[in-house]
Every structure is written in C-alpha cells, then in structure tokens.
Amino acid sequence: MAALRIALAAAVVALALAAPVAAQQQRDAERRLQEVRRELRDVATERRRLEGRRGSAARALRAADERVAAASDALRRTESELADGELALAELAARRGELQQRLAAQRSELAQLLRAAHAIGDHAALKLLLAQDRVGEANRALAYHRYLQRQRARRIRDLATELSELDAVEREIAERREALDQARERQRRQLAELERERGQRAGTVAELEQRHADRRDRENALGR
C-alpha cells in the first residue's frame, strides 16, 4: 500500500509539473496561429492594393504606347512630306536648268538678229543708190528681221516670266521644307521623350507584376 501511495503521489506531482508546460505550448501555438492569420490578412491586403496599382500602371502603359505610336506616325508623315519636297525641288531644279538653256539660246538668237538687222540698216542707203530694184527686198528683209526680233523678245519675256514663277515656287517649297525640318526635330525629341516615359512605365508594370506574384505565392503558402 505504501508503494501504491508513493506511485500515486509521483503521478500527481508529474501531472502538476506537466500542466504548465502544456498550457504554455497551447498559448504558443495560439500565438503562432494569430501571427499567421495576421500576416495572411496583411499579405492579402497588400496583394489587393498591388492589383489596383498594377491595373492603373497597365492602363498608363497602354496610353503611353498609343502616344508613342501617334508620335511615330506623325514623324513618318513629316519625313514623307520632306522626301516629297526634296523630289519637287529636284524636279524644279531640272526645269530651271532647261529654261535657262532655252533662255540663253533665245538671247543668242536675238543678238544675232540684232546684228543682222543693224547690218541691213547700215547698208540700206548704199543699196538704194546702187540698185533701186533691190530696195524693196532690203526693206522686206529688214521688216522680217524686226518681226523675228519681236518674236524672240516676246519669247524671252515669256521665259523670264516662267523663271520668275519658278523662283517663287522654289522659295515656297524651301520655306515649307525648313518648317518641316524644324517640325521633324521637335517630333524626334518628343518621340524620344515618350519612348523614355514608356520604358519607365513598362518597368513599373514589371515590378508590380513581380511583387504581386510574390504576395500571391506567400498568401498561398500561409493558407496551407
């Protein structure tokens, strides 16, 4: 009986000693559970916040893409207009060369006619004295030369007018080209700035995507 009482007493003592340890373990488990739940709530809240930021960043990136595309189209149109202007100037330069050659030829012919008419005029009186029957022929030749002179002079005036009009067109195209050159430089700078901004927004989207994925993985791990 004494041995039994001793065994019972030992058991009671053991239970008394084990009870605080079990209680502490229970409290520790509950505390860890609360910490996990709190972290899970925090992670879920952060994930939802990142979803909102990610959506806003993605919309901003799409808008940046549209601005870059619009700026690229505008730059291409400007460069196309510049190419057309260069072609037009080249065609006008060729036309100018042709007109200048024709003008030089007309002036040369007019100079020859003037010299011939002068020669006929100088010899008209002598011909009148030497051969009365040739006076009419000389007068007709002189009249014909004067007619040719008027024709050449009129043609020269027409060519000069055409060259003057050509000058005006060339000036207009040159002024337009200068304006387009300036516009192209502005558009290039604008496009470079938009592409830089677009790159920054793409980086922001990538960063938010990664952070969101990390929070989702952590949330899944805590929920197991």
Side-chain angles (χ1 to χ4, degrees):
M1 292 295 293
L4 179 59
R5 285 195 296 272
I6 292 172
L8 289 173
V12 170
V13 171
L15 288 172
L17 293 174
V21 174
Q24 182 62 40
Q25 290 176 343
Q26 179 66 25
R27 287 193 297 272
D28 290 343
E30 290 178 355
R31 186 178 64 255
R32 286 195 297 271
L33 180 60
Q34 291 298 324
E35 290 175 351
V36 168
R37 288 174 176 172
R38 184 167 54 252
E39 184 181 359
L40 183 60
R41 286 195 302 270
D42 293 342
V43 170
T45 300
E46 177 67 7
R47 177 183 56 77
R48 288 190 293 271
R49 187 180 68 84
L50 287 171
E51 283 178 352
R53 290 183 59 191
R54 183 183 61 175
S56 298
R59 288 190 294 273
L61 178 58
R62 286 193 296 272
D65 286 336
E66 292 173 358
R67 288 193 295 272
V68 167
S72 297
D73 289 341
L75 180 58
R76 280 193 294 271
R77 287 194 298 271
T78 299
E79 289 177 339
S80 177
E81 288 186 52
L82 277 169
D84 292 342
E86 293 294 340
L87 179 60
L89 284 175
E91 292 174 350
L92 288 174
R95 176 63 176 163
R96 169 186 288 280
E98 177 188 349
L99 289 175
Q100 287 175 336
Q101 289 179 355
R102 290 168 58 188
L103 182 59
Q106 292 290 334
R107 283 174 173 167
S108 176
E109 291 180 9
L110 179 59
Q112 292 176 4
L113 286 172
L114 289 173
R115 287 193 296 271
H118 182 69
I120 293 174
D122 287 345
H123 291 85
L126 180 60
K127 289 182 177 182
L128 179 60
L129 294 173
L130 296 177
Q132 290 293 330
D133 59 337
R134 302 294 298 276
V135 173
E137 182 179 344
N139 287 335
R140 284 192 297 273
L142 183 58
Y144 177 69
H145 277 79
R146 287 173 178 168
Y147 167 77
L148 290 179
Q149 290 172 29
R150 289 193 298 271
Q151 292 294 319
R152 292 291 184 272
R154 183 168 61 251
R155 184 55 183 156
I156 287 172
R157 286 194 300 271
D158 292 343
L159 288 171
T161 299
E162 192 170 352
L163 280 169
S164 178
E165 293 172 352
L166 191 64
D167 286 340
V169 174
E170 283 182 330
R171 285 193 299 272
E172 181 180 351
I173 293 177
E175 290 172 358
R176 176 61 177 164
R177 181 179 61 181
E178 182 178 358
L180 288 172
D181 275 333
Q182 295 174 357
R184 179 174 60 181
E185 291 306 312
R186 288 195 303 271
Q187 289 168 348
R188 283 176 173 173
R189 291 193 297 270
Q190 181 185 23
L191 180 58
E193 177 62 23
L194 289 173
E195 287 177 339
R196 184 188 64 79
E197 177 188 350
R198 193 266 175 202
Q200 291 177 342
R201 294 190 181 280
T204 299
V205 169
E207 178 187 357
L208 290 172
E209 288 281 1
Q210 184 60 51
R211 291 175 61 187
H212 180 269
D214 292 342
R215 298 302 185 278
R216 185 185 60 231
D217 293 343
R218 180 58 178 166
E219 187 177 6
N220 291 336
L222 291 171
R224 290 193 181 96

